[in-house]
Amino acid sequence: MSVLLIAEHNNKEVKSFTLNAITAASQIDQDLHVLLIGHNADDVAKSLSEVPLVKKVLHMDNEIYENYIAENYTSAILKHADKYSHIVCSANTFGKNLMPRIAALLDISQVSDIIKVIAPDTFLRPIYAGNAFATVKSNDDKKCITIRPTSFEAAETTGGSAEIEKVDAADKTENTKFVNREEIKSDRPELGTARIVISGGRGLQSGENFKLITDVADKLNAAIGASRAAVDAGYITNEHQVGQTGKVVVPDLYIAVGISGAIQHLAGMKESKVIVAINKDGEAPIFSVADYGLEADLFEALPQFLEELNKLNTIQK
Amino acid sequence: MKNKAKVVVVGGGVVGVSALYHLAKKGWSDVVLVERKELTSGSTWHAAGLLPLFNMSYSVGQLHKYAVNLYKTLEEETGKNVGFSVVSNIRLASNKDRMDEYYQYAGVAQTIGVKVNFLKPEQVKEIWPLCHTDDLVGAIQHPEDGYIQPADLTQALATGARNRGAEIYRNTTVLGIKQTKNGWVVETDKGSIECEHVISCSGNFARQTGKMVGLDIPVIPVEHQYIVTEPHPEIQKRKKDGLPEMGVLRDSDSRWYMREEAGGFILGPYEDGAPACYVDGPSKESEYELFQEDLERLAPHIEGAIHRVPAFGEVGVKKVYNGAICYTPDGNPIVGPAWGLKNFWINEGHSFGITAAGGAGWQLAEWIVDGEPTIDMLGVEPRRYGDYCSKSYLKEKNEEAYSHVFITHFPDEERPAARPLRTAPCYDRMKNLGAVFGQKFGWERPNFFATDGMEQKDDWSFRRSNWFKAIEKECKNVKENVGLLDMTAFAKCRIKGPGAEEFLDKLVANKLPKKIGRINLCHALNTKGGVHSEFTIMRESESSFYLVSAGAFQRLDHDWILGWMPKDGSVQFENLTNSKGVLVVSGPKARELMQRVSNDDFSNENFKWLSAKQVDVGFAPVNAMRVNFVGELGWELHHPIEYQNHIFDKLMDAGQDLGLKPYGIRAMNSLRVEKSYKLVGTELSIEYSPYESGLDRFVHPNKGSFIGLEALNKWREKGFDNKLVTLEVHETSDADVLGNNPIYENGSVVGRATGGDFGFRLGKSIALGMVKPELANIGQKLKIDILGKMHEATILEESPYDAENKLLRA
Amino acid sequence: MKILVAVKRVIDYNVQIRVKEDGSGVVTDNVKMSTNPPDDNAIEEAVKIKEAGKASEIIAVTVGEEKAQETVRKALAVGADRGIHVKVDSILEPLAVSKILKKIVEKENPDLVFMGKQAIDDDCNQTGQMLAAHLNWPQATFASKIEVKENSLEVTREVDEGLETIEVNTPAIVTCDLRLNEPRYASLPNIMKAKKKPIEQINASDLGVDTNPRIEHIKIEEPPKRKAGIKVASVEELVQKLKNEAKVI
């Protein structure tokens, strides 16, 4: 039994969630190989080989793979799939887009978004936006699995010395062309991996008011999240959305401001270690998951909060 | 959470919270409410929030009126906005019967002080420009009506209750309710609360709550849907132009309500085929629950709505709410004491709960704190239903009640579901004689007999209809020959024991019959001196009495008796309702008839008026009571029920050449009105002292103490506001007084009719009514409104037919 | 152009999910059901493309039990021309559904297949991608904007880092995000008219597709309950607790 993990990267660095996926993959079986498909990605291959849990790196390098196109990655993976019992990757948009295509061509019923490895064929996964957990067993000979990265620790990145094997490229598709990507760059920690997240909801009433959130985020070195309502209303862009169809986050501290706490939002943050809710409606559902609830007007409470934090004079890294 | 309180209210919907609020308002701050989940999470949260003032019932109309006025004051009192949009309500009519219903209703409205205007179709168009009015006959408008936000209303009432010291415990589930010596213990999952009173306001869980105390509560909910659309440009334009909201629109004949909502429409039909739901109660996790919608069964009403308001068909459906509404067999809630359980109160079955909650809470608080309600609550009395309300019965009847919300409420309507249910042995015989039946308390009773080639079916109307001719025949036959009436449905019981006489003497205002075999008409007053129940009491022996009262009040009257009975065993109660049948023979040839079927002595010397004798009719033992309700020579034949058909056949056989013919309840009403005989619920009520109702000779204030005497004496000192009179109504042609008609003098309302009918023996249209005492003089000319038309009326002497009772004493 | 839109009937997103006591699944009896929300976006997009004159026919298809037809009826009320109900008597995995849809595609020859990106019941997010693989068609997932060109679509997709735009040649599969458009509401006359539009019923067993499940559901349980929290009275108290009690700042 060996596991093939598909690495997510930008040709320069490994994307952090791949490290969480590596941990999960090695829980399935220690014989873990990583398939790196990219262009001019030698640095990435090297970083991957230094991860102790990785036993081998297959490096496919070609200009076909300058940008990630699911159809091309699929052909690449299928070239090597028969040697492995499990094909695994992280369940963010990269993996969600890719893995089902592979599974279909291998005639495998994929198991999506697992949060726990119980056995090499048995996994725990959330359904109904995390309102129920299902323990599932795959009876396929081969398994295609995507992993919820926030449910697994990131793997150690130093001390390993895996072999890097260069492999040939596969076919490319003529039917899909990459046009462009609008990446929203930020100095802030990435939402998916930040230790502290502060999120704003409809209660902020405007995009300008989000400044109240960013001021606190600056102080706490936190990532900024948002409810779907806030994104729909145009207060902030979509990559900040936390929820069932947005990002799932598990920070040490999640502060929900002006967010009522609809089921769909809770699905994205209820595993946070500590949850704080600030909302002027004392009966809002968010309070039912909050460890600390403050029933107050956010326009008064947030500036006060910032003041109190300044008094503490602690800046978190 | 407290472990002791004066009152525990079970259920935190608008109904429960209103009950709590009103108790606190009456000064009882040591009151608590327990709610298993969140406030409003049962049915309140999804209610459309309409506040209909319209209701054909005198009791319910008053409860609604009180509520609408109260809700207007809540924001000022509690600081919480209740979202009351006083946008008025228009009810449309597309046919004459509907207009009759509105006229009849307008009478009720007049008498309880609710403002209602009649509109012509053009006027409807002015208020509701989007309404198609060409095929309308007319409309009525309630200017004070509108809609409210149910959840906000509940929170405001909760604030008002808390401000006065009441406490509300949410997420607290009641697991059991046990009776103790001094009251009750309510066991919850967070602890127990000892209390004096429990009020059940548990909505969809009514039957489950009732089961905890052994009560079979006659409530099962029914699914109701309403459609919410996206905004319509016309409505948005009106808003921009500063025009008022068009108000609630009810197309009664198409059976739906409609109003504006967030720039679009809400449509709520009351269709056929809506199923009962939660028949065994909601699941224990249920909260904020909705059902799958079914637009298919709403189709005819949707079409009707699009015809009436074409704009409604132009916009998309945003959401369809399908939620449970509680129902009872007649569609009115049950508000009042539980039977057989001291200090357990029922406030359930609310199908117009948002409106009724205010009034129900108000009257329950009065009842609990002061001992009696202040308005006649018979229309919502929990004890108006009996044991016959099985679960399967409720499912049928409640579904029917739902589908009848907008069906024209004819005064003589007899809804068919779950019928026939309880039948007297002579049912089939009566049917073969042409009986058209109605039901009372589950019992089938002949209403009239089809005659002269008439179809054997009913014909409902606010005016004289097919059965008018039928009862004319029946009444004339009673006057000239002899008629046979089935009154098996009468409530009957025996009170006996060493303490029986003393107890009954305290229970009623009249003296009890002294001699064995004598009969007196007696009235039980409530503690405020109003008339609660009427009994015919016959002394069977030294220590045994036989009581008869109206069949509809079996549970009510018997519960009243049992509630006041001493618990030391000196008095025993025996319910004889189902073991005894009653056949009544009345008319000048009644004696001859009885002499043919019995060897006993029916002569006037040996069988006086208001006396009873054990006789044989054929081979059957019968308690023949010389009383009747139609003012002719006659007897009520009370018999063990298994002999009924034997007696029936003997009478019919012997009476053939005497002209013996059966008659029904509707003829009986005409006959009793001619005698000014009174009925509990109309001429007699807790709102009137016996003196106002003309029961002077049945009240003996000096006989010793009896329930209500003190209050009655105080009332007499203060002075009375009403006097019961009998009126002749002139120039009637196709309609008679039904009851609730306003009575005028010089343009002002000076009274209200309590009942009426055409008197065939007198050849006059008669009404009974309460008027101001200074006008209660024979010969006084007044005016009375019948279906929107004013008639002259003259006060007659009491019992205008045979005023000296020569015929009954013959 | 012909557009095939796949829709799914799921538990309404407002309903509070309850797990059956025996762990065999989620309570679905008497629970309100409706169309999977992103499938509404898929239908809306197809209707908009038709209104712009770029498509001639929209077919709505669902794979499910008897009542699943309701979702097809709703699609018809909003603007689909006809419907197909592939009848099954148990819940199928996305792999099986995608194989069934492949048969339907082969039968109907659409130029585009739209569906919601993820079903809110199983949260698998697989069917569209699998169908694309079976057909060897290009896929454009998580679409938040679609521009119809001569023989291709330019699709903007919502990805973790932001927005990515790709161009795919038709025929293609698109899975739709909630932000793609604002689904319209069907008017009542259209809802009534939809009852007369044809829905073809096909038994899944007649399609020659292997629908046997590969995944066993061992048990379904509720997620672990969070410990109840407290309400703090002031910002000062909040900060104090976060520092000294929770030790997260």
Side-chain angles (χ1 to χ4, degrees):
Chain A
M1 265 203 306
S2 25
V3 181
L4 183 67
L5 180 125
I6 317 299
E8 189 190 356
H9 62 96
N10 62 2
N11 289 325
K12 292 188 203 43
E13 301 172 311
V14 180
K15 288 260 163 108
S16 63
F17 283 152
T18 297
L19 296 173
N20 308 73
I22 284 173
T23 304
S26 72
Q27 285 177 12
I28 295 174
D29 194 286
Q30 302 223 317
D31 190 15
L32 167 60
H33 297 188
V34 174
L35 176 56
L36 167 62
I37 306 167
H39 186 225
N40 294 333
D42 284 337
D43 286 340
V44 181
K46 185 160 178 299
S47 313
L48 285 170
S49 71
E50 285 166 8
V51 175
L53 288 177
V54 174
K55 300 292 178 269
K56 186 168 175 188
V57 177
L58 299 174
H59 183 180
M60 190 182 288
D61 207 290
N62 192 294
E63 64 171 2
I64 297 170
Y65 309 118
E66 178 61 38
N67 287 296
Y68 156 62
I69 286 177
E71 290 82 343
N72 292 338
Y73 265 57
T74 303
S75 308
I77 292 158
L78 284 177
K79 265 187 106 168
H80 298 272
D82 57 317
K83 297 189 212 73
Y84 297 92
S85 59
H86 293 74
I87 305 179
V88 164
C89 69
S90 163
N92 47 345
T93 53
F94 162 76
K96 287 199 268 207
N97 188 28
L98 172 65
M99 189 60 78
R101 222 182 149 98
I102 298 168
L105 292 171
L106 293 173
D107 194 27
I108 294 173
S109 194
Q110 173 181 324
V111 181
S112 293
D113 209 19
I114 67 168
I115 59 177
K116 189 161 169 209
V117 175
I118 296 169
D121 64 354
T122 309
F123 312 95
L124 188 67
R125 63 178 297 265
I127 54 175
Y128 290 98
N131 281 294
F133 283 179
T135 301
V136 299
K137 179 165 180 285
S138 163
N139 291 322
D140 279 321
D141 290 334
K142 258 189 172 30
K143 330 253 189 262
C144 283
I145 317 280
T146 61
I147 290 164
R148 180 174 283 204
T150 50
S151 295
F152 298 89
E153 298 282 320
E156 275 294 320
T157 49
T158 52
S161 55
E163 180 200 336
I164 300 178
E165 185 188 315
K166 272 267 167 70
V167 294
D168 292 333
D171 298 326
K172 85 174 228 230
T173 177
E174 297 305 324
N175 283 323
T176 307
K177 267 199 289 289
F178 174 83
V179 175
N180 70 35
R181 181 176 299 126
E182 235 176 85
E183 269 185 43
I184 318 289
K185 288 241 180 291
S186 156
D187 289 328
R188 283 179 212 296
E190 222 211 289
L191 181 54
T193 50
R195 201 179 73 74
I196 302 180
V197 173
I198 173 165
S199 283
R202 204 56 201 273
L204 282 160
Q205 294 173 18
S206 77
E208 293 87 65
N209 289 337
F210 247 81
K211 183 170 185 318
L212 292 166
I213 300 274
T214 50
D215 285 346
V216 174
D218 286 342
K219 181 71 197 174
L220 290 172
N221 197 29
I224 295 176
S227 69
R228 176 158 111 82
V231 173
D232 280 351
Y235 300 165
I236 192 167
T237 46
N238 71 283
E239 75 277 9
H240 294 275
Q241 182 178 322
V242 172
Q244 179 182 21
T245 53
K247 294 201 167 78
V248 174
V249 299
V250 284
D252 286 345
L253 172 60
Y254 187 92
I255 307 174
V257 183
I259 293 178
S260 67
I263 286 176
Q264 294 77 11
H265 185 79
L266 296 186
M269 43 63 75
K270 64 193 170 96
E271 302 307 315
S272 307
K273 197 157 144 266
V274 175
I275 297 175
V276 169
I278 300 177
N279 196 304
K280 71 173 183 203
D281 175 10
E283 306 290 319
I286 191 82
F287 286 113
S288 65
V289 298
D291 298 292
Y292 302 106
L294 177 62
E295 197 181 321
D297 185 336
L298 66 91
F299 294 105
E300 283 169 27
L302 275 184
Q304 265 190 310
F305 191 53
L306 187 57
E307 224 181 280
E308 290 298 317
L309 289 174
N310 282 327
K311 280 199 208 143
L312 280 184
N313 207 25
T314 40
I315 295 168
Q316 298 304 304
K317 278 277 173 269
Chain B
M1 188 175 94
K2 285 188 185 177
N3 58 10
K4 213 161 178 222
K6 251 180 129 71
V7 183
V8 173
V9 175
V10 176
V14 66
V15 169
V17 177
S18 171
L20 188 74
Y21 167 89
H22 283 94
L23 284 167
K25 206 163 174 184
K26 272 205 84 81
W28 282 24
S29 56
D30 187 16
V31 293
V32 305
L33 182 150
V34 286
E35 160 56 48
R36 51 185 277 283
K37 293 280 182 191
E38 290 291 342
L39 297 185
T40 74
S41 62
S43 281
T44 301
W45 73 280
H46 66 67
L50 300 175
L51 296 173
L53 281 167
F54 179 95
N55 197 287
M56 303 297 281
S57 146
Y58 180 69
S59 315
V60 178
Q62 294 208 66
L63 296 185
H64 285 204
K65 175 187 168 204
Y66 167 88
V68 171
N69 288 329
L70 169 71
Y71 298 162
K72 289 193 182 132
T73 66
L74 282 174
E75 182 167 359
E76 209 188 310
E77 183 195 324
T78 65
K80 285 234 159 85
N81 177 262
V82 296
F84 191 165
S85 300
V86 185
V87 293
S88 99
N89 155 62
I90 295 178
R91 226 165 258 263
L92 306 174
S94 311
N95 60 61
K96 190 161 177 285
D97 277 335
R98 184 68 65 181
M99 281 310 289
D100 278 348
E101 181 188 69
Y102 291 167
Y103 281 119
Q104 177 63 22
Y105 163 71
V108 177
Q110 249 312 352
T111 60
I112 61 177
V114 167
K115 193 161 185 291
V116 63
N117 305 325
F118 279 84
L119 300 180
K120 295 201 194 57
E122 311 84 78
Q123 293 170 295
V124 173
K125 192 88 180 167
E126 272 168 38
I127 300 168
W128 249 91
L130 298 181
C131 177
H132 170 74
T133 56
D134 291 351
D135 53 348
L136 292 177
V137 160
I140 52 172
Q141 182 196 33
H142 281 96
E144 312 285 312
D145 194 309
Y147 65 96
I148 205 166
Q149 299 303 323
D152 294 343
L153 169 65
T154 310
Q155 294 297 345
L157 288 166
T159 300
R162 287 188 181 115
N163 285 346
R164 295 181 170 86
E167 290 183 15
I168 295 178
Y169 308 127
R170 291 144 51 233
N171 295 309
T172 305
T173 305
V174 173
L175 303 169
I177 304 176
K178 305 251 177 315
Q179 201 169 18
T180 64
K181 217 150 58 95
N182 305 319
W184 299 92
V185 171
V186 175
E187 293 160 356
T188 79
D189 59 354
K190 305 263 187 334
S192 297
I193 312 175
E194 270 177 58
C195 60
E196 284 174 40
H197 300 262
V198 174
I199 311 181
S200 177
C201 306
S202 52
N204 300 317
F205 286 95
R207 287 178 71 70
Q208 284 63 42
T209 310
K211 271 203 182 54
M212 291 180 184
V213 294
L215 274 183
D216 217 334
I217 293 188
V219 172
I220 287 185
V222 178
E223 288 182 20
H224 172 64
Q225 305 181 72
Y226 64 86
I227 299 171
V228 182
T229 74
E230 58 186 353
H232 191 284
E234 286 273 353
I235 297 181
Q236 289 173 308
K237 181 166 184 301
R238 282 181 63 92
K239 193 154 184 203
K240 226 161 62 108
D241 295 344
L243 292 171
E245 201 174 318
M246 294 183 287
V248 182
L249 185 71
R250 288 180 167 90
D251 189 339
S252 308
D253 297 307
S254 193
R255 295 159 67 183
W256 48 258
Y257 58 81
M258 184 188 284
R259 66 168 174 82
E260 292 183 29
E261 171 67 19
F265 299 97
I266 277 185
L267 175 79
Y270 280 89
E271 75 280 19
D272 291 328
C277 53
Y278 295 145
V279 175
D280 294 308
S283 77
K284 63 177 165 61
E285 295 89 16
S286 170
E287 58 173 333
Y288 300 113
E289 204 174 326
L290 290 177
F291 305 115
Q292 197 66 38
E293 63 263 25
D294 177 1
L295 289 180
E296 192 73 46
R297 68 176 190 251
L298 300 185
H301 309 282
I302 290 171
E303 271 161 48
I306 294 175
H307 164 79
R308 184 63 59 211
V309 181
F312 177 71
E314 292 163 8
V315 280
V317 172
K318 207 155 78 164
K319 191 162 173 170
V320 180
Y321 285 84
N322 183 359
I325 299 190
C326 291
Y327 267 86
T328 61
D330 66 4
N332 284 337
I334 51 177
V335 183
W339 49 100
L341 295 173
K342 186 163 182 234
N343 293 341
F344 192 93
W345 305 83
I346 307 179
N347 194 0
E348 303 280 14
H350 284 275
S351 54
F352 291 98
I354 306 303
T355 325
W362 165 52
Q363 283 300 301
L364 269 180
E366 307 257 318
W367 215 329
I368 293 172
V369 175
D370 295 337
E372 301 285 3
T374 43
I375 67 171
D376 174 3
M377 295 283 278
L378 280 181
V380 296
E381 172 57 68
R383 294 161 292 184
R384 70 184 186 279
Y385 295 113
D387 288 344
Y388 60 89
C389 294
S390 63
K391 191 165 82 173
S392 48
Y393 175 86
L394 289 174
K395 196 174 161 306
E396 276 289 300
K397 249 1 218 185
N398 294 7
E399 285 176 3
E400 180 187 59
Y402 171 91
S403 70
H404 272 71
V405 164
F406 277 113
I407 304 277
T408 311
H409 303 104
F410 293 109
D412 48 355
E413 84 171 334
E414 294 281 2
R415 296 180 186 171
R419 283 179 57 212
L421 187 62
R422 309 169 87 191
T423 51
C426 69
Y427 174 84
D428 285 322
R429 285 161 164 71
M430 290 295 202
K431 193 148 180 222
N432 291 336
L433 290 168
V436 175
F437 291 89
Q439 73 76 38
K440 197 56 113 189
F441 211 66
W443 288 100
E444 291 295 302
R445 302 182 314 175
N447 272 339
F448 71 93
F449 289 80
T451 181
D452 296 331
M454 231 182 258
E455 249 191 283
Q456 197 174 352
K457 69 187 251 271
D458 215 338
D459 180 20
W460 303 327
S461 176
F462 287 90
R463 299 174 188 268
R464 298 174 189 166
S465 67
N466 281 349
W467 56 262
F468 187 75
K469 279 258 161 290
I471 68 168
E472 177 175 8
K473 226 170 161 192
E474 290 166 35
C475 291
K476 292 213 163 116
N477 191 57
V478 167
K479 175 170 191 251
E480 281 147 34
N481 300 317
V482 53
L484 179 65
L485 175 69
D486 168 28
M487 287 304 277
T488 299
F490 265 148
K492 319 162 200 80
C493 67
R494 170 173 293 128
I495 307 284
K496 68 177 195 207
E501 180 160 358
E502 193 186 331
F503 162 63
L504 282 176
D505 213 15
K506 285 220 161 50
L507 190 73
V508 301
N510 199 0
K511 293 189 175 151
L512 295 173
K514 284 206 196 54
K515 289 212 183 90
I516 291 176
R518 294 293 301 175
I519 300 170
N520 276 4
L521 187 65
C522 305
H523 300 86
L525 310 185
N526 75 358
T527 57
K528 288 203 168 149
V531 178
H532 185 279
S533 305
E534 180 180 76
F535 298 101
T536 301
I537 302 186
M538 174 207 144
R539 183 187 281 270
E540 291 179 318
S541 77
E542 272 283 318
S543 56
S544 171
F545 297 84
Y546 179 64
L547 277 69
V548 184
S549 66
F553 301 131
Q554 184 205 321
R555 181 169 258 175
L556 176 65
D557 289 344
H558 289 181
D559 193 51
W560 183 258
I561 293 172
L562 288 164
W564 285 105
M565 241 170 67
K567 311 278 185 280
D568 58 6
S570 63
V571 183
Q572 288 112 51
F573 170 90
E574 209 186 322
N575 178 18
L576 299 170
T577 305
N578 306 356
S579 57
K580 284 200 179 289
V582 182
L583 291 170
V584 186
V585 295
S586 26
K589 300 190 182 154
R591 178 173 286 123
E592 204 183 328
L593 173 63
M594 291 315 297
Q595 277 161 348
R596 288 186 187 184
V597 296
S598 172
N599 295 323
D600 293 283
D601 188 347
F602 278 79
S603 67
N604 197 21
E605 304 77 59
N606 295 318
F607 203 147
K608 289 212 175 336
W609 168 241
L610 291 181
S611 67
K613 263 210 291 206
Q614 279 294 121
V615 301
D616 287 353
V617 174
F619 302 110
V622 170
N623 172 21
M625 294 176 62
R626 196 172 157 189
V627 284
N628 65 72
F629 204 49
V630 298
E632 298 284 351
L633 172 66
W635 281 262
E636 280 182 17
L637 305 175
H638 292 239
H639 51 271
I641 204 161
E642 63 272 23
Y643 292 98
Q644 186 166 97
N645 286 331
H646 175 86
I647 297 167
F648 188 98
D649 292 340
K650 285 274 182 247
L651 288 169
M652 287 304 287
D653 227 17
Q656 264 187 50
D657 64 315
L658 293 176
L660 175 65
K661 289 261 181 306
Y663 67 102
I665 297 294
R666 291 183 188 160
M668 187 198 81
N669 192 57
S670 164
L671 297 165
R672 70 103 185 174
V673 161
E674 288 175 315
K675 292 296 288 176
S676 306
Y677 285 160
K678 308 147 186 63
L679 285 171
V680 172
T682 48
E683 294 74 37
L684 308 178
S685 113
I686 61 162
E687 288 186 22
Y688 300 128
S689 75
Y691 293 115
E692 290 170 298
S693 298
L695 296 178
D696 303 52
R697 62 187 190 283
F698 302 104
V699 179
H700 289 266
N702 300 316
K703 71 161 183 169
S705 99
F706 56 83
I707 297 166
L709 173 62
E710 246 185 83
L712 183 63
N713 285 336
K714 286 207 183 86
W715 198 344
R716 200 158 40 156
E717 271 169 47
K718 202 167 133 272
F720 297 123
D721 299 320
N722 300 287
K723 188 96 187 104
L724 185 68
V725 295
T726 306
L727 302 125
E728 179 183 351
V729 184
H730 305 287
E731 269 157 58
T732 56
S733 53
D734 67 345
D736 302 285
V737 163
L738 291 167
N740 285 317
N741 312 54
I743 299 174
Y744 296 87
E745 202 240 353
N746 276 340
S748 327
V749 176
V750 293
R752 58 182 273 267
T754 56
D757 219 318
F758 189 84
F760 295 98
R761 294 177 297 189
L762 294 170
K764 295 182 173 147
S765 184
I766 306 285
L768 299 175
M770 287 292 185
V771 298
K772 291 198 175 144
E774 56 273 24
L775 295 169
N777 307 305
I778 299 176
Q780 170 75 44
K781 294 247 178 273
L782 298 167
K783 286 194 169 48
I784 190 164
D785 173 310
I786 298 180
L787 301 175
K789 203 158 143 244
M790 217 46 110
H791 292 261
E792 301 280 339
T794 312
I795 296 185
L796 302 175
E797 63 185 337
E798 200 190 341
S799 179
Y801 176 72
D802 184 28
E804 275 150 54
N805 292 330
K806 291 206 181 88
L807 297 168
L808 13 116
R809 289 175 184 280
Chain C
M1 252 204 327
K2 207 179 192 186
I3 308 181
L4 180 73
V5 183
V7 292
K8 186 180 183 188
R9 185 171 186 258
V10 297
I11 294 181
D12 186 275
Y13 74 94
N14 274 321
V15 169
Q16 201 175 30
I17 301 298
R18 289 201 291 270
V19 172
K20 287 191 193 157
E21 286 189 6
D22 64 0
S24 63
V26 148
V27 174
T28 50
D29 280 342
N30 294 323
V31 160
K32 188 160 147 70
M33 308 289 278
S34 49
T35 305
N36 183 37
D39 294 346
D40 281 328
N41 297 88
I43 297 271
E44 175 66 26
E45 197 63 19
V47 173
K48 276 169 76 169
I49 292 172
K50 184 172 176 214
E51 284 171 344
K54 297 192 176 154
S56 56
E57 193 184 18
I58 301 171
I59 307 163
V61 59
T62 196
V63 178
E65 295 168 334
E66 186 65 41
K67 290 207 175 135
Q69 272 191 76
E70 286 167 17
T71 38
V72 175
R73 283 271 169 238
K74 174 142 179 268
L76 294 172
V78 165
D81 299 293
R82 59 185 170 89
I84 299 175
H85 171 210
V86 179
K87 202 157 169 304
V88 298
D89 43 34
S90 59
I91 297 175
L92 297 190
E93 292 163 4
L95 182 64
V97 174
S98 62
K99 290 178 183 171
I100 290 175
L101 289 176
K102 174 172 184 250
K103 294 281 180 188
I104 303 296
V105 166
E106 285 165 356
K107 177 167 130 54
E108 297 290 342
N109 283 314
D111 303 280
L112 291 174
V113 178
F114 285 179
M115 68 184 78
K117 75 177 187 189
Q118 164 178 341
I120 62 171
D121 51 7
D122 57 26
D123 285 330
C124 282
N125 198 324
Q126 297 170 18
T127 307
Q129 296 87 306
M130 287 184 162
L131 177 60
H134 291 310
L135 296 167
N136 196 22
W137 285 11
Q139 69 193 45
T141 57
F142 327 141
S144 65
K145 184 152 163 258
I146 299 176
E147 203 190 305
V148 178
K149 294 178 143 159
E150 190 70 42
N151 290 312
S152 65
L153 295 179
E154 194 173 285
V155 180
T156 302
R157 311 169 50 230
E158 296 209 345
V159 296
D160 292 325
E161 305 81 0
L163 298 170
E164 179 187 275
T165 306
I166 59 175
E167 192 178 331
V168 289
N169 294 338
T170 53
I173 311 281
V174 180
T175 75
C176 306
D177 186 273
L178 291 170
R179 255 182 296 277
L180 178 60
N181 54 41
E182 187 73 45
R184 70 193 63 191
Y185 299 113
S187 72
L188 283 157
N190 284 342
I191 293 173
M192 300 298 158
K193 274 191 224 135
K195 292 206 206 107
K196 300 197 186 72
K197 289 186 182 172
I199 296 183
E200 188 187 342
Q201 277 222 325
I202 302 174
N203 279 321
S205 48
D206 293 340
L207 289 173
V209 162
D210 169 29
T211 57
N212 286 321
R214 317 287 186 78
I215 294 177
E216 245 178 270
H217 282 81
I218 311 269
K219 77 167 178 266
I220 311 289
E221 58 199 329
E222 280 189 10
K225 289 214 187 318
R226 273 188 91 89
K227 215 166 54 86
I230 57 161
K231 282 249 177 86
V232 295
S234 66
V235 173
E236 293 95 333
E237 194 189 337
L238 173 64
V239 172
Q240 183 265 336
K241 285 214 150 39
L242 287 176
K243 180 158 168 39
N244 301 321
E245 196 175 271
K247 299 200 197 345
V248 282
I249 59 171

